Amino acid sequence: MEYVSTRGNAPVLDFEGVTLAGLASDGGLYLPREWPRFSEDQIRALRGKPYWAVAVEVMKPFVGDCLTEDELTKLCTEVYGEFSHAAVTPLIQLDEQHWLLELFHGPTLAFKDIALQMLGRLFETFLERRGERLTIVGATSGDTGSAAIRAVAGLDRVEIFMLHPHGKVSDVQRRQMTTVLAPNVHNIAIDGSFDDAQRHVKRMFGDAAVNGPVGGPLQLGAVNSINWSRLMAQVVYYFYSALQLGAPDRKVAYSVPTGNFGDVFAGYVAAQMGLPVETLIVATNVNDILRRAITSGDYSAGEVTPTITPSMDIQVSSNFERLLFDCGGRDGAALGDQMRGFDGANAMQLSNAQRDGMKALFVSYSADQEQTSRAMQWAYQAGGQIIDPHTAVGLSAARDALEEASLDEVVPIVTLATAHPAKFRDAVERATGVRPSLPARVGDLFGREESYAELAGDYETAREFVLSNSAFSSATASA
Ligand SMILES: *Cc1c(COP(=O)(O)O)cnc(C)c1O
């Protein structure tokens, strides 16, 4: 499988290459040159298989020759064997039509473990093969950071610098990052927003004083969902859940609590591969740039408003560029111009082709704090389920979509349950009166020592910190 950049001006890479590169050198994001297609019979043949086996089949065409089937099988059985639920991503029925897909049975209680546990293993495999080392710089609004740190802590060939907005992640989220004391883990709290942190990370990739390919001393890698491998791993649970609900003979709709547009883009990929997805509901909180883009073509970023769903407090969604590329006719040069225009103006109008391309599959609804709380209450009353606020934004959007007849009345609607409620227990308790307890597998999170640096919000300070604390200089980068 060959991968191309959304901006059309970066080298074509294979799966190993895109896994290690993260962002493309032209500032774009990598995508497969074409979507693999599964026939109905091929999809039907996946019914009843365990999660790891569905994972092998779904990932195989994307991985191409970069892993043998035995290597891929070993990775999938090991990674998904460590989840705390035997079904890995169990489906829970709420009422006749609404379902929850629980994606939080990994080590850090959010869906990001599903892809990042796999990505950590892929890094290890490919770096070992090449005799290289990788410095991961990432930005997190909470859940990516902890999942990425858990995925790479203690690895020999990887170090990680994780930036989070100081004071803007929950205590559980912060402690899941800062109590991992492995020497290859560096936590940084910056005085700024998630978008500031993400901008710094993107800038380091293009900075000749930092990144190897443009002249710097370090080989940088990405764990944000700009990394294609993460999206690939997320495609699996769309297949796995739809099969249980009758695919390929029955359509399924998904409601996806959305921030960086990675999770819902994986649903789009599943649909391109032949899974009968009726609709993808892009659920946002009041930071609703995506809802405006999808409903009216107006993609203009404002200030980030902090909410009870911090993992979705994002204005600029990196992966949306992948959708614009694929829906807009895959014209990298034109998209590069469009995105550079957006970077300058913080606003752009989608083209007609882009809007028409997404109309067939996407609708979008937003939930404010009141609606989010009401959805938590409804899940508890109607289905006996305590859900986290991010999941509640998804459920609220799912119910709105049904009410406004954006959906066929009989398809099952699966809301992705993206975090365990104990991760956001103050908001859950306020809405439902129930204080969810942390699962035993998390251990004594509040009894452990924390370690992190507090830095000013400017780019240069973050860069200096990375350069002076990295254990991998160019001299040792290819040991
Ligand atoms: C990351 C995250 C999201 C948003 O996912 P994207 O792939 O960035 O759209 C939603 N909910 C939770 C709990 C998350 O951690």
Side-chain angles (χ1 to χ4, degrees), residues 109-112 141-144 173 225 230-231 234 256-265 290 311-312 314 317 319 388 390-391 416-420 423-424:
L109 313 181
F111 83 92
K112 295 185 172 77
S141 52
D143 293 332
T144 302
Q173 287 179 317
S225 51
R230 273 188 60 181
L231 303 190
Q234 291 170 217
V256 188
T258 297
N260 232 339
F261 209 78
D263 212 1
V264 70
F265 189 77
L290 288 169
S311 296
M312 300 160 65
I314 290 174
S317 296
N319 284 293
D388 104 286
H390 301 79
T391 307
L416 304 199
T418 50
H420 190 289
K423 223 170 168 172
F424 302 95

Short mmCIF file of all heavy atoms in Angstrom, two decimals, residues 109-112 141-144 173 225 230-231 234 256-265 290 311-312 314 317 319 388 390-391 416-420 423-424, ligand 1:
data_model
loop_
_atom_site.label_atom_id
_atom_site.label_comp_id
_atom_site.label_asym_id
_atom_site.label_seq_id
_atom_site.Cartn_x
_atom_site.Cartn_y
_atom_site.Cartn_z
N LEU A 109 -8.23 4.15 30.22
CA LEU A 109 -9.68 4.40 30.33
C LEU A 109 -10.27 5.27 29.23
O LEU A 109 -11.36 5.82 29.41
CB LEU A 109 -10.04 5.01 31.70
CG LEU A 109 -9.47 4.37 32.96
CD1 LEU A 109 -9.98 5.11 34.19
CD2 LEU A 109 -9.83 2.90 33.05
N ALA A 110 -9.58 5.45 28.11
CA ALA A 110 -10.20 6.18 26.99
C ALA A 110 -9.92 5.43 25.69
O ALA A 110 -9.04 4.57 25.63
CB ALA A 110 -9.68 7.61 26.90
N PHE A 111 -10.68 5.77 24.65
CA PHE A 111 -10.58 4.99 23.41
C PHE A 111 -9.20 5.07 22.78
O PHE A 111 -8.84 4.22 21.96
CB PHE A 111 -11.65 5.47 22.41
CG PHE A 111 -11.27 6.68 21.60
CD1 PHE A 111 -10.67 6.53 20.36
CD2 PHE A 111 -11.52 7.95 22.06
CE1 PHE A 111 -10.32 7.63 19.60
CE2 PHE A 111 -11.17 9.06 21.32
CZ PHE A 111 -10.56 8.91 20.08
N LYS A 112 -8.42 6.07 23.15
CA LYS A 112 -7.14 6.24 22.48
C LYS A 112 -6.18 5.09 22.73
O LYS A 112 -5.27 4.85 21.94
CB LYS A 112 -6.54 7.58 22.88
CG LYS A 112 -7.40 8.73 22.36
CD LYS A 112 -6.81 10.08 22.62
CE LYS A 112 -7.58 11.17 21.92
NZ LYS A 112 -8.85 11.52 22.60
N SER A 141 -5.05 17.19 24.90
CA SER A 141 -6.08 17.85 25.71
C SER A 141 -6.44 16.91 26.86
O SER A 141 -7.41 17.13 27.56
CB SER A 141 -7.29 18.19 24.84
OG SER A 141 -7.72 17.05 24.14
N GLY A 142 -5.67 15.85 27.03
CA GLY A 142 -5.86 14.99 28.19
C GLY A 142 -5.67 13.51 27.89
O GLY A 142 -4.77 12.88 28.42
N ASP A 143 -6.48 12.96 27.00
CA ASP A 143 -6.49 11.52 26.86
C ASP A 143 -5.39 10.97 25.96
O ASP A 143 -4.85 9.90 26.20
CB ASP A 143 -7.85 11.06 26.34
CG ASP A 143 -8.94 11.31 27.36
OD1 ASP A 143 -8.63 11.31 28.56
OD2 ASP A 143 -10.10 11.51 26.96
N THR A 144 -5.03 11.71 24.91
CA THR A 144 -3.96 11.23 24.04
C THR A 144 -2.67 11.09 24.82
O THR A 144 -1.93 10.12 24.66
CB THR A 144 -3.68 12.23 22.90
OG1 THR A 144 -4.86 12.42 22.17
CG2 THR A 144 -2.60 11.73 21.97
N GLN A 173 -6.80 12.66 34.42
CA GLN A 173 -6.01 12.70 33.18
C GLN A 173 -4.57 13.10 33.47
O GLN A 173 -3.63 12.49 32.96
CB GLN A 173 -6.62 13.71 32.20
CG GLN A 173 -7.92 13.26 31.56
CD GLN A 173 -8.46 14.32 30.63
OE1 GLN A 173 -8.45 15.52 30.95
NE2 GLN A 173 -8.92 13.91 29.48
N SER A 225 -3.43 12.06 16.29
CA SER A 225 -4.12 11.27 15.28
C SER A 225 -3.77 11.73 13.86
O SER A 225 -4.33 11.23 12.90
CB SER A 225 -5.63 11.28 15.52
OG SER A 225 -6.10 12.60 15.68
N ARG A 230 -2.82 5.24 13.70
CA ARG A 230 -3.86 5.33 14.73
C ARG A 230 -5.24 5.21 14.10
O ARG A 230 -6.08 4.47 14.59
CB ARG A 230 -3.76 6.67 15.47
CG ARG A 230 -2.81 6.62 16.61
CD ARG A 230 -2.88 7.87 17.44
NE ARG A 230 -4.21 8.10 18.02
CZ ARG A 230 -4.50 9.16 18.77
NH1 ARG A 230 -3.57 10.08 19.01
NH2 ARG A 230 -5.70 9.32 19.27
N LEU A 231 -5.44 5.92 13.02
CA LEU A 231 -6.76 5.86 12.38
C LEU A 231 -7.04 4.45 11.89
O LEU A 231 -8.15 3.92 12.04
CB LEU A 231 -6.82 6.84 11.20
CG LEU A 231 -6.54 8.29 11.55
CD1 LEU A 231 -6.88 9.17 10.36
CD2 LEU A 231 -7.36 8.73 12.74
N GLN A 234 -8.37 2.30 14.49
CA GLN A 234 -9.72 2.65 14.92
C GLN A 234 -10.79 2.18 13.93
O GLN A 234 -11.96 2.08 14.30
CB GLN A 234 -9.82 4.16 15.14
CG GLN A 234 -8.99 4.59 16.35
CD GLN A 234 -8.85 6.09 16.49
OE1 GLN A 234 -7.81 6.56 16.89
NE2 GLN A 234 -9.88 6.83 16.17
N VAL A 256 -20.34 10.10 16.92
CA VAL A 256 -18.96 10.10 17.37
C VAL A 256 -18.60 11.42 18.04
O VAL A 256 -18.56 12.48 17.39
CB VAL A 256 -18.01 9.87 16.16
CG1 VAL A 256 -16.58 9.68 16.66
CG2 VAL A 256 -18.46 8.66 15.35
N PRO A 257 -18.33 11.38 19.36
CA PRO A 257 -17.86 12.59 20.04
C PRO A 257 -16.54 13.03 19.42
O PRO A 257 -15.58 12.26 19.42
CB PRO A 257 -17.64 12.13 21.49
CG PRO A 257 -18.36 10.82 21.62
CD PRO A 257 -18.39 10.22 20.25
N THR A 258 -16.51 14.25 18.88
CA THR A 258 -15.42 14.59 17.97
C THR A 258 -14.62 15.78 18.45
O THR A 258 -15.16 16.78 18.92
CB THR A 258 -16.01 14.88 16.57
OG1 THR A 258 -16.63 13.70 16.09
CG2 THR A 258 -14.93 15.29 15.60
N GLY A 259 -13.29 15.66 18.31
CA GLY A 259 -12.40 16.76 18.61
C GLY A 259 -11.50 17.01 17.41
O GLY A 259 -11.71 17.90 16.59
N ASN A 260 -10.51 16.14 17.26
CA ASN A 260 -9.56 16.28 16.17
C ASN A 260 -10.00 15.56 14.89
O ASN A 260 -9.24 15.46 13.94
CB ASN A 260 -8.21 15.74 16.63
CG ASN A 260 -7.10 16.74 16.40
OD1 ASN A 260 -7.25 17.66 15.58
ND2 ASN A 260 -6.00 16.58 17.08
N PHE A 261 -11.21 15.02 14.88
CA PHE A 261 -11.81 14.37 13.72
C PHE A 261 -11.13 13.05 13.35
O PHE A 261 -11.29 12.53 12.26
CB PHE A 261 -11.80 15.31 12.50
CG PHE A 261 -12.92 15.06 11.52
CD1 PHE A 261 -14.19 15.52 11.78
CD2 PHE A 261 -12.71 14.36 10.34
CE1 PHE A 261 -15.23 15.29 10.89
CE2 PHE A 261 -13.74 14.14 9.43
CZ PHE A 261 -15.01 14.60 9.71
N GLY A 262 -10.36 12.47 14.29
CA GLY A 262 -9.69 11.21 13.99
C GLY A 262 -10.65 10.03 14.07
O GLY A 262 -10.74 9.22 13.14
N ASP A 263 -11.37 9.95 15.19
CA ASP A 263 -12.24 8.81 15.41
C ASP A 263 -13.32 8.74 14.33
O ASP A 263 -13.59 7.68 13.76
CB ASP A 263 -12.87 8.97 16.80
CG ASP A 263 -13.13 7.64 17.48
OD1 ASP A 263 -12.82 6.59 16.88
OD2 ASP A 263 -13.66 7.65 18.60
N VAL A 264 -13.94 9.86 14.03
CA VAL A 264 -15.03 9.83 13.05
C VAL A 264 -14.47 9.62 11.64
O VAL A 264 -15.11 8.99 10.79
CB VAL A 264 -15.93 11.09 13.16
CG1 VAL A 264 -15.24 12.34 12.69
CG2 VAL A 264 -17.24 10.88 12.42
N PHE A 265 -13.24 10.08 11.40
CA PHE A 265 -12.65 9.80 10.08
C PHE A 265 -12.42 8.30 9.90
O PHE A 265 -12.57 7.77 8.80
CB PHE A 265 -11.34 10.58 9.88
CG PHE A 265 -10.84 10.48 8.46
CD1 PHE A 265 -11.44 11.22 7.46
CD2 PHE A 265 -9.81 9.60 8.12
CE1 PHE A 265 -11.01 11.11 6.13
CE2 PHE A 265 -9.38 9.49 6.81
CZ PHE A 265 -9.98 10.25 5.81
N LEU A 290 -16.75 22.28 13.49
CA LEU A 290 -17.06 21.18 12.57
C LEU A 290 -18.55 21.16 12.21
O LEU A 290 -18.91 20.88 11.07
CB LEU A 290 -16.64 19.84 13.16
CG LEU A 290 -15.14 19.61 13.20
CD1 LEU A 290 -14.81 18.39 14.06
CD2 LEU A 290 -14.57 19.41 11.79
N SER A 311 -11.51 16.90 26.13
CA SER A 311 -10.86 16.24 24.99
C SER A 311 -11.47 16.66 23.67
O SER A 311 -11.00 16.26 22.60
CB SER A 311 -10.96 14.72 25.14
OG SER A 311 -10.23 14.33 26.28
N MET A 312 -12.54 17.45 23.74
CA MET A 312 -13.16 17.96 22.51
C MET A 312 -13.08 19.48 22.44
O MET A 312 -13.72 20.09 21.59
CB MET A 312 -14.61 17.51 22.45
CG MET A 312 -14.74 16.00 22.45
SD MET A 312 -16.36 15.40 22.95
CE MET A 312 -17.37 16.06 21.62
N ILE A 314 -11.52 21.85 21.05
CA ILE A 314 -10.59 22.03 19.94
C ILE A 314 -11.30 22.87 18.89
O ILE A 314 -12.50 22.68 18.65
CB ILE A 314 -10.23 20.64 19.34
CG1 ILE A 314 -9.35 19.87 20.32
CG2 ILE A 314 -9.56 20.78 18.00
CD1 ILE A 314 -9.08 18.45 19.90
N SER A 317 -9.41 21.08 13.74
CA SER A 317 -9.36 19.63 13.77
C SER A 317 -8.45 19.11 12.66
O SER A 317 -8.81 19.11 11.49
CB SER A 317 -10.75 19.05 13.56
OG SER A 317 -11.58 19.41 14.62
N ASN A 319 -7.50 16.28 11.44
CA ASN A 319 -7.88 15.24 10.47
C ASN A 319 -8.98 15.66 9.50
O ASN A 319 -9.25 14.94 8.55
CB ASN A 319 -8.33 13.98 11.22
CG ASN A 319 -7.16 13.24 11.76
OD1 ASN A 319 -6.36 12.70 11.00
ND2 ASN A 319 -7.02 13.24 13.08
N ASP A 388 -19.72 8.93 30.53
CA ASP A 388 -18.87 10.11 30.72
C ASP A 388 -19.41 11.26 29.87
O ASP A 388 -20.22 11.05 28.95
CB ASP A 388 -17.41 9.75 30.36
CG ASP A 388 -17.02 10.31 29.02
OD1 ASP A 388 -17.48 9.77 27.99
OD2 ASP A 388 -16.30 11.33 28.97
N HIS A 390 -18.11 13.09 27.48
CA HIS A 390 -17.82 13.04 26.03
C HIS A 390 -18.82 12.12 25.33
O HIS A 390 -19.39 12.45 24.30
CB HIS A 390 -16.39 12.56 25.78
CG HIS A 390 -15.34 13.42 26.40
ND1 HIS A 390 -15.03 13.34 27.74
CD2 HIS A 390 -14.55 14.39 25.89
CE1 HIS A 390 -14.09 14.22 28.02
NE2 HIS A 390 -13.78 14.88 26.92
N THR A 391 -19.01 10.95 25.94
CA THR A 391 -19.99 10.01 25.41
C THR A 391 -21.37 10.67 25.37
O THR A 391 -22.15 10.47 24.43
CB THR A 391 -20.02 8.75 26.30
OG1 THR A 391 -18.67 8.26 26.42
CG2 THR A 391 -20.91 7.68 25.73
N LEU A 416 -20.33 6.14 20.19
CA LEU A 416 -19.04 5.67 20.69
C LEU A 416 -18.83 6.20 22.10
O LEU A 416 -18.86 7.42 22.33
CB LEU A 416 -17.90 6.12 19.77
CG LEU A 416 -17.98 5.73 18.30
CD1 LEU A 416 -16.59 5.83 17.65
CD2 LEU A 416 -18.52 4.34 18.07
N ALA A 417 -18.64 5.28 23.05
CA ALA A 417 -18.39 5.66 24.44
C ALA A 417 -16.88 5.79 24.58
O ALA A 417 -16.15 4.81 24.70
CB ALA A 417 -18.95 4.61 25.39
N THR A 418 -16.41 7.04 24.51
CA THR A 418 -14.98 7.27 24.30
C THR A 418 -14.16 7.30 25.59
O THR A 418 -12.94 7.20 25.52
CB THR A 418 -14.75 8.58 23.52
OG1 THR A 418 -15.50 9.62 24.14
CG2 THR A 418 -15.19 8.44 22.08
N ALA A 419 -14.80 7.47 26.73
CA ALA A 419 -14.03 7.46 27.99
C ALA A 419 -14.84 6.79 29.09
O ALA A 419 -16.07 6.79 29.07
CB ALA A 419 -13.67 8.88 28.41
N HIS A 420 -14.14 6.23 30.04
CA HIS A 420 -14.76 5.66 31.23
C HIS A 420 -15.29 6.82 32.10
O HIS A 420 -14.59 7.83 32.25
CB HIS A 420 -13.71 4.85 32.00
CG HIS A 420 -14.27 4.02 33.10
ND1 HIS A 420 -14.75 4.56 34.27
CD2 HIS A 420 -14.43 2.68 33.22
CE1 HIS A 420 -15.18 3.59 35.06
NE2 HIS A 420 -15.00 2.43 34.44
N LYS A 423 -13.18 8.82 34.66
CA LYS A 423 -12.16 9.77 34.25
C LYS A 423 -12.64 11.21 34.42
O LYS A 423 -11.85 12.13 34.50
CB LYS A 423 -11.81 9.49 32.77
CG LYS A 423 -10.34 9.54 32.53
CD LYS A 423 -9.87 9.07 31.20
CE LYS A 423 -8.41 9.48 31.08
NZ LYS A 423 -7.74 8.93 29.91
N PHE A 424 -13.94 11.40 34.45
CA PHE A 424 -14.54 12.74 34.55
C PHE A 424 -15.61 12.72 35.62
O PHE A 424 -16.75 13.11 35.41
CB PHE A 424 -15.11 13.15 33.18
CG PHE A 424 -14.06 13.13 32.10
CD1 PHE A 424 -13.90 12.02 31.29
CD2 PHE A 424 -13.19 14.20 31.95
CE1 PHE A 424 -12.90 11.98 30.33
CE2 PHE A 424 -12.19 14.18 31.00
CZ PHE A 424 -12.04 13.06 30.18
C1 LIG B 1 -9.78 12.26 21.98
C2 LIG B 1 -11.15 12.14 22.51
C3 LIG B 1 -12.26 12.52 21.74
C4 LIG B 1 -12.11 13.14 20.36
O1 LIG B 1 -11.61 12.21 19.43
P1 LIG B 1 -11.00 12.74 18.04
O2 LIG B 1 -10.46 11.53 17.39
O3 LIG B 1 -9.95 13.73 18.40
O4 LIG B 1 -12.12 13.36 17.29
C5 LIG B 1 -13.51 12.32 22.27
N1 LIG B 1 -13.68 11.81 23.50
C6 LIG B 1 -12.65 11.44 24.28
C7 LIG B 1 -12.90 10.89 25.63
C8 LIG B 1 -11.35 11.58 23.81
O5 LIG B 1 -10.31 11.21 24.57
#
